[in-house]
Every structure is written in structure tokens, then in C-alpha cells.
Amino acid sequence: MELIVRLCYNRNMKKIIFFVFAIFLILPFFSCKKQKAPASDGAVVLRFASWRPDDVKELGALFDIFHQQHPDISISLEAVEPTEYNADILKKLQEGTAPDLICVRSFATGESLYAAGYLSDCSWLPSFKQAFNDSSRAAWLAADGKEYAVPFTAVSHGMYFNKTVFQKEGLAIPQTWEDFMQLCSVLKSKGYIPIANGFGDRWDILECLFLGGIVPDFVGGSREREKYENKVLPLNDEHFVDAYKAIASIGPYLADDADKVSYEEAKRRFIEQKAVMLMDGSWSAGIFSASNLEWSVFALPAPKDRQTIVCFHPDMAVAMNTKSTHQKEARAFLTWLCTVNGAKAVADSLPSGYFPVSVYNLPLSDVNANRFLRLNKGRDIDVRFIWPKLIKLYEPMNDAVIEVLQRTMTPRQAADYVAGSM
């Protein structure tokens, strides 16, 4: 009997050991799901880092076009959530495990990676300076005069609105800030929540509403921005005080629980017609178009004595990892992006609401993209105000905007607080 038990035990142990061994064999395949297996045709596989996991289909189409023209090179996407991307890519660069091609954000965020020696100089790429104008390249221009990434996409900002409600109530697109305030008042008097935005997530009330519309309209465009950057004008002058007054005046037209409304919740409420308008980026156009909502967009208007300026922001560029083991192939992809063929492929493959930035002026077939591009017509455009040289003001300005909305800080106090943070 004892012998039988021992034999059964040994057989069971062998099964357990075999099972555990099998798990260890297959585990790596599950932990590496972001990266495709090497191309079966023997092509070199370049790894491509992005903060846009929603764009797998579109970027895949772009990579396929490149592969057709360069059969010896394939590209595999490794996408991380936008809020996690900066820390994730920095960690991988520090560890030496970062992809060959890296999407980088504009201005200081991207330049910090170049300054640390992680990104290669792109200035020498064939046709680079012919394909992109000075304005587009400036967002990825380092202090040493080198350009460390190939411009890829720009985004715009605007006030989305429910066309059905506007038509039902006989409402017109506002041409001035005063018209916009009157529009909000009329909507509220009729029982609507005028604006879906909240500040539960903090960043979007600053980036989309304040920097994406109010600041350029009340403070000014690139010429004025440079005066603040160079300390010719103080950050607490009357123009900035007026900008904080403007954000305060929007408060009554947000939902009662705006302090708890996340960015995703704000979009959901707009789609579900629980609010009539939403100040957001062009990147959301595809989401809204996939819904049953009839919508359009207008530029947030300036006061009647000022010019409306559109925030058209250089968003993404592609850089090469200095430690890439496939330097030749990575350079080939970056060079291709500078050609007419590459630019056309980008224009044809970009998701709705993202805009190519080359000089080739290729037509976009996407209806939503053209809605936003029409906002630029006859108007000055500029980047998000603090991005080029004042990015250290991000947190103080975000705090000030929310404090003003919560009425725990006056517009004058907000302007002084941000100015003092310099």
C-alpha cells in the first residue's frame, strides 16, 4: 500500500513539475504582447514608441506603406497611455531598452531627452529643411541649434457644439466673447448645461480651455507671447487679469459637479447631449463622429476689440534613439518622412483631428480635419502659450485656473500668483 501511494505521489509531482515548466516556457509570449514577432520576410524590425494606443490601425497603415516601399524594413508599434508615456520612455532610455524610433512631444519635454543624449541630430537628413518650415521645426529645435526630431503632427483646439440644439433654439455661432457669454446665458435660461468641461482631471481645463482658447484671445499670439517670455511684459498685467476674469465668467455655465467631472466624463456628457458645448482638441473629432451626435466646431471668439487667435499646436515628432541597433534603417524611415511620398502617406493615414505639418500642402479627405482647418482661415495661429519657454508655469497656472473657478482666488490674485512663480 505504501508503495502504491509513493508511486501515485511521484506521478502527480511529475505532472506538477511539467505544468510549471510549461508555464515558464509560454510566459514570455504573454509579457511581450506590445511587440510584434520579427517579420517573416527577413526584414529588420524597427520598434516605434508612441503615446497613442488608439492609433494602432492608422499607424499600422502608415508602416505598411513604408514597408511596401522599403521591403527590408518593418516597423512594430509599442504604444503607452498618454499620461504614462513621458515617465515610461525616460525609464527605458535610461535602461537602454527604448525603441529605435521615439515619438517626442514639442518644446521643453522633447528637448530634455535630446539634452540628455538620448536622441540623434536630425538636421542633416536629406530634404529635412525643405520639407518643414522654420515654424514647424522650431518646436524641436535644441539650444545648440540642432533639430532632434522630424515633425509629425499638429493638433488644433475649438469649441465643439451640438448642431441639433443650436438649430432647435435658433442660435448663431458667436463672433465675439460678448456674444459667447450671451449664448451661454440663453442656453442656461432654457435649462441646458452650456459647457461640458470640468476640472476633475485638472489638465484639460488648462490645456483645452484656458491655453487653447482664452489666453490667445485675451493675451495675444506669438508676438505678444515672446514679450512675456523675454520679460518685456509681466505675467500679471491687465491682459492676464482679463484672461482669469474670462475663466471665472465661464464657471456658472459648467455643471454643478464640474470639480468632479473628468475629461472622459465631459466627452461622454457632450456625446449624450447632457451639455451643449465642449472646448476640446481636434484629437476628439473621430470619437464624436463615431457617435450619433450632430456636431460642428467654432473658434472660441475674442472680445470685440481684439483678434480671435486659434491655438494650432505642434504636437508630435519622431526621433531616433542614439542607442538604436538599427541606425541605418531608422534613418531611412526618418528620411522617408521628409519626402513627398512619406508626407502623403502621413496625410492619408493620420487619425481624424491630427494634421500633417509638411510644406507640401497635401489635401485632407477627412471632413472633421477640414472643419478645424477652416478655423485657421484669415486668423493668426499660435502654440499653447507656456510650451516654448514658460513650461515651468504649468502647475502654478493650472492651480490658478482651478482656484479661480472655485472662487477661492480672484483673477488679480491668480495673475499675481503665477507671476510670482517665475
Side-chain angles (χ1 to χ4, degrees):
M1 183 70 180
E2 182 182 348
L3 177 61
I4 293 172
V5 171
R6 192 175 299 167
L7 286 170
C8 292
Y9 174 79
N10 288 340
R11 287 188 188 123
N12 289 336
M13 283 303 296
K14 285 178 181 178
K15 290 179 181 178
I16 292 169
I17 292 169
F18 176 79
F19 179 71
V20 172
F21 181 67
I23 289 175
F24 276 103
L25 282 176
I26 66 172
L27 189 59
F29 293 97
F30 288 97
S31 62
C32 298
K33 62 183 179 180
K34 288 184 181 177
Q35 186 175 357
K36 294 178 183 177
S40 58
D41 56 7
V44 168
V45 179
L46 295 175
R47 296 163 57 210
F48 186 102
S50 166
W51 64 81
R52 292 286 305 169
D54 293 340
D55 301 341
V56 171
K57 178 181 176 182
E58 291 82 0
L59 285 174
L62 176 67
F63 299 158
D64 287 344
I65 296 171
F66 174 74
H67 180 58
Q68 289 167 12
Q69 298 175 20
H70 298 77
D72 56 333
I73 307 171
S74 291
I75 302 178
S76 172
L77 177 64
E78 297 182 16
V80 175
E81 290 297 326
T83 54
E84 301 170 7
Y85 183 78
N86 288 0
D88 181 80
I89 199 65
L90 178 59
K91 182 174 183 289
K92 288 174 180 174
L93 286 165
Q94 291 170 339
E95 294 173 345
T97 60
D100 308 282
L101 296 165
I102 298 170
C103 286
V104 291
R105 290 184 160 108
S106 51
F107 300 108
T109 305
E111 187 176 358
S112 65
L113 299 180
Y114 171 77
Y118 297 129
L119 308 179
S120 297
D121 174 23
C122 290
S123 306
W124 54 267
L125 288 171
S127 302
F128 177 64
K129 293 188 177 179
Q130 290 74 36
F132 305 97
N133 61 31
D134 293 347
S135 177
S136 295
R137 300 196 320 271
W140 294 278
L141 177 66
D144 64 2
K146 302 289 179 60
E147 290 152 319
Y148 54 87
V150 175
F152 194 55
T153 64
V155 292
S156 190
H157 303 71
M159 185 65 77
Y160 291 88
F161 68 94
N162 185 320
K163 289 176 65 176
T164 303
V165 171
F166 269 53
Q167 291 166 359
K168 176 185 175 182
E169 303 295 348
L171 303 172
I173 293 174
Q175 301 302 308
T176 67
W177 179 260
E178 293 78 9
D179 291 343
F180 177 66
M181 286 287 95
Q182 179 62 25
L183 169 65
C184 290
S185 177
V186 169
L187 285 169
K188 187 170 183 177
S189 71
K190 291 178 178 290
Y192 298 101
I193 296 174
I195 302 172
N197 295 80
F199 44 97
D201 280 340
R202 294 178 56 86
W203 70 268
D204 55 304
I205 201 74
L206 175 69
E207 294 186 24
C208 298
L209 183 51
F210 195 63
L211 295 175
I214 289 176
V215 168
D217 284 344
F218 282 81
V219 177
S222 59
R223 289 185 294 274
E224 289 77 13
R225 172 173 50 77
E226 289 169 2
K227 293 176 183 177
Y228 290 96
E229 291 171 345
N230 297 320
K231 300 183 180 180
V232 174
L233 294 175
L235 288 158
N236 57 351
D237 67 3
E238 290 308 310
H239 293 305
F240 258 106
V241 172
D242 286 344
Y244 290 109
K245 287 180 180 177
I247 195 73
S249 67
I250 279 179
Y253 302 116
L254 305 179
D256 291 341
D257 61 345
D259 61 323
K260 298 179 181 65
V261 175
S262 68
Y263 176 61
E264 294 301 324
E265 172 65 12
K267 290 192 292 186
R268 186 182 68 79
R269 291 185 182 187
F270 179 63
I271 289 171
E272 295 179 357
Q273 304 190 55
K274 294 179 179 178
V276 180
M277 297 180 288
L278 174 73
M279 188 70 187
D280 197 5
S282 56
W283 56 86
S284 293
I287 296 171
F288 299 144
S289 291
S291 71
N292 295 322
L293 179 68
E294 288 291 324
W295 65 271
S296 192
V297 64
F298 60 82
L300 190 67
K304 59 185 177 182
D305 58 342
R306 296 187 64 87
Q307 179 187 9
T308 296
I309 296 174
V310 174
C311 183
F312 194 77
H313 187 76
D315 183 57
M316 180 187 292
V318 184
M320 182 172 73
N321 181 355
T322 55
K323 296 297 195 302
S324 169
T325 56
H326 302 297
Q327 300 272 325
K328 177 184 174 183
E329 292 81 5
R331 282 195 295 268
F333 179 74
L334 295 179
T335 299
W336 179 71
L337 290 178
C338 300
T339 66
V340 176
N341 282 340
K344 185 178 186 307
V346 170
D348 292 341
S349 304
L350 285 178
S352 182
Y354 286 83
F355 307 98
V357 289
S358 72
V359 299
Y360 300 121
N361 292 321
L362 298 165
L364 295 176
S365 59
D366 184 76
V367 173
N368 301 320
N370 286 304
R371 282 178 179 175
F372 271 94
L373 287 178
R374 281 195 291 270
L375 302 184
N376 296 354
K377 190 174 182 180
R379 297 187 174 110
D380 286 345
I381 61 173
D382 195 23
V383 303
R384 293 180 193 136
F385 187 90
I386 61 175
W387 252 245
K389 295 184 179 180
L390 300 173
I391 196 65
K392 290 183 179 179
L393 293 177
Y394 187 100
E395 288 301 332
M397 190 172 282
N398 207 353
D399 291 340
V401 166
I402 292 173
E403 293 273 3
V404 167
L405 284 168
Q406 292 177 323
R407 301 198 178 281
T408 54
M409 190 179 278
T410 67
R412 166 56 67 186
Q413 288 172 334
D416 291 342
Y417 169 71
V418 174
S421 300
M422 286 289 288

